Amino acid sequence: MSIELTEAAVAATIDHAILKPDFTRADVDRELDIAAEWGVFSVCVRPSDIPYAVRRLDGTGVAVGTVIGFPHGTTSTAAKVAELRRAKDDGAVEFDMVVHIGGLRSGEDDLVTADIAAVVEAAAGSVSKVILETSYLDLEQIARGSRLTEAGGATFVKTSTGFAGGGATVEHVKLMRDSVSPAVQVKASGGVRGLESAIAMLDAGATRLGTSASATILGELRARAEGRTASGAEDDSSY
């Protein structure tokens, strides 16, 4: 593991996910407040929530990111680029795009790389992450998707949306880490529900965690540092 297991260091790896389609404004408020309370690196919000999240988190030090082509990745490249540009204008600073899953599975590498590269170009130097949706892929496709992510110029390759079943596994994170150069980072998301799974993903080579269980993970870490047992663990069944 490349980080020290302190609360601040682990919080700095977390993108707190606020993506459930049925969330009300009160739900979003609660999750934004959790992110601010625990001092995570960023939130990853639904595109329509970006301006509100930017305002509510102003002064907290928590960055606002969003998703592009989510959750299926099958919107056109032009639509993904337009979505990113609007998200950037609204104040988002990191962008998690879903790869063209069918194209990747079909071996259409040029299509996949061009799709990624167009989105990365629109991000204009901002952090870009490519979601492979590993639960739909075999090992060869995961490795190839990781390489295509690097070829397209993205900052991160990421495991999952959290909405396709499955989620991050140690095996897949290690494979993704081994398939790209040190210039590309790995984000583990989907199923990171507590401190044990967070540590496992960081040990496997992830440098960012996508999760809605930030309070659970960091609460367990704080309790361990204080020599007590954490209580009130959250259920994070979808992300």
Side-chain angles (χ1 to χ4, degrees):
M1 188 185 303
S2 59
I3 69 164
E4 185 180 1
L5 274 181
T6 64
E7 187 176 320
V10 174
T13 72
I14 293 177
D15 294 339
H16 186 71
I18 312 176
L19 295 168
K20 291 181 179 179
D22 59 333
F23 267 175
T24 64
R25 179 61 66 205
D27 294 326
V28 171
D29 284 345
R30 180 189 68 245
E31 297 300 321
L32 292 171
D33 290 347
I34 288 171
E37 176 186 355
W38 289 96
V40 299
F41 180 81
S42 78
V43 292
C44 190
V45 300
R46 302 173 299 193
S48 58
D49 291 329
I50 295 167
Y52 182 79
V54 169
R55 291 193 300 271
R56 191 171 180 91
L57 292 174
D58 184 41
T60 66
V62 178
V64 175
T66 194
V67 287
I68 305 295
F70 195 86
H72 299 131
T74 52
T75 47
S76 67
T77 298
K80 289 179 180 178
V81 167
E83 187 175 22
L84 188 145
R85 287 174 176 161
R86 177 55 189 264
K88 194 168 189 178
D89 287 346
D90 284 343
V93 296
E94 295 200 352
F95 308 95
D96 294 29
M97 69 165 283
V98 184
V99 76
H100 193 298
I101 301 165
L104 177 57
R105 295 186 69 214
S106 299
E108 297 178 278
D109 291 2
D110 289 346
L111 178 154
V112 172
T113 304
D115 188 55
I116 294 168
V119 172
V120 170
E121 182 180 8
S126 296
V127 170
S128 53
K129 312 183 191 99
V130 176
I131 306 170
L132 298 184
E133 203 64 284
T134 50
S135 62
Y136 290 150
L137 307 177
D138 62 27
L139 296 181
E140 184 278 332
Q141 291 162 348
I142 292 170
R144 181 162 44 84
S146 299
R147 294 192 297 269
L148 297 179
T149 294
E150 181 161 19
T155 318
F156 281 82
V157 61
K158 174 178 170 182
T159 56
S160 315
T161 64
F163 291 92
T169 70
V170 167
E171 178 188 22
H172 290 167
V173 170
K174 286 182 176 177
L175 176 59
M176 293 160 69
R177 177 66 274 159
D178 290 343
S179 298
V180 295
S181 78
V184 178
Q185 299 180 62
V186 177
K187 177 175 173 178
S189 63
V192 185
R193 298 172 183 160
L195 182 59
E196 184 177 344
S197 57
I199 291 172
M201 297 306 163
L202 295 170
D203 277 340
T207 52
R208 198 77 68 85
L209 306 173
T211 181
S212 55
S214 305
T216 298
I217 293 166
L218 296 170
E220 289 177 359
L221 184 57
R222 180 179 293 179
R224 189 167 83 169
E226 295 174 353
R228 56 184 176 82
T229 301
S231 61
E234 300 173 359
D235 173 45
D236 181 37
S237 57
S238 68
Y239 197 90

mmCIF file of all heavy atoms in Angstrom, residues 69 105 120 206:
data_model
loop_
_atom_site.group_PDB
_atom_site.id
_atom_site.type_symbol
_atom_site.label_atom_id
_atom_site.label_comp_id
_atom_site.label_asym_id
_atom_site.label_seq_id
_atom_site.Cartn_x
_atom_site.Cartn_y
_atom_site.Cartn_z
ATOM 1 N N GLY A 69 -22.083 9.785 -19.597
ATOM 2 C CA GLY A 69 -22.548 8.588 -20.302
ATOM 3 C C GLY A 69 -22.968 7.496 -19.347
ATOM 4 O O GLY A 69 -22.845 6.307 -19.656
ATOM 5 N N ARG A 105 -16.360 -5.048 -25.741
ATOM 6 C CA ARG A 105 -16.606 -6.493 -25.822
ATOM 7 C C ARG A 105 -16.517 -7.003 -27.263
ATOM 8 O O ARG A 105 -16.183 -8.164 -27.502
ATOM 9 C CB ARG A 105 -17.962 -6.836 -25.224
ATOM 10 C CG ARG A 105 -18.065 -6.548 -23.728
ATOM 11 C CD ARG A 105 -19.384 -7.039 -23.150
ATOM 12 N NE ARG A 105 -19.432 -8.497 -23.152
ATOM 13 C CZ ARG A 105 -20.537 -9.206 -23.337
ATOM 14 N NH1 ARG A 105 -21.682 -8.585 -23.595
ATOM 15 N NH2 ARG A 105 -20.502 -10.511 -23.303
ATOM 16 N N VAL A 120 -11.617 12.969 -23.017
ATOM 17 C CA VAL A 120 -10.420 13.493 -22.348
ATOM 18 C C VAL A 120 -10.059 14.869 -22.909
ATOM 19 O O VAL A 120 -9.711 15.790 -22.154
ATOM 20 C CB VAL A 120 -9.251 12.507 -22.509
ATOM 21 C CG1 VAL A 120 -7.936 13.137 -22.047
ATOM 22 C CG2 VAL A 120 -9.524 11.217 -21.740
ATOM 23 N N ALA A 206 -5.256 0.267 -6.086
ATOM 24 C CA ALA A 206 -6.132 1.419 -6.289
ATOM 25 C C ALA A 206 -5.595 2.624 -5.527
ATOM 26 O O ALA A 206 -5.013 2.483 -4.437
ATOM 27 C CB ALA A 206 -7.547 1.101 -5.815
#
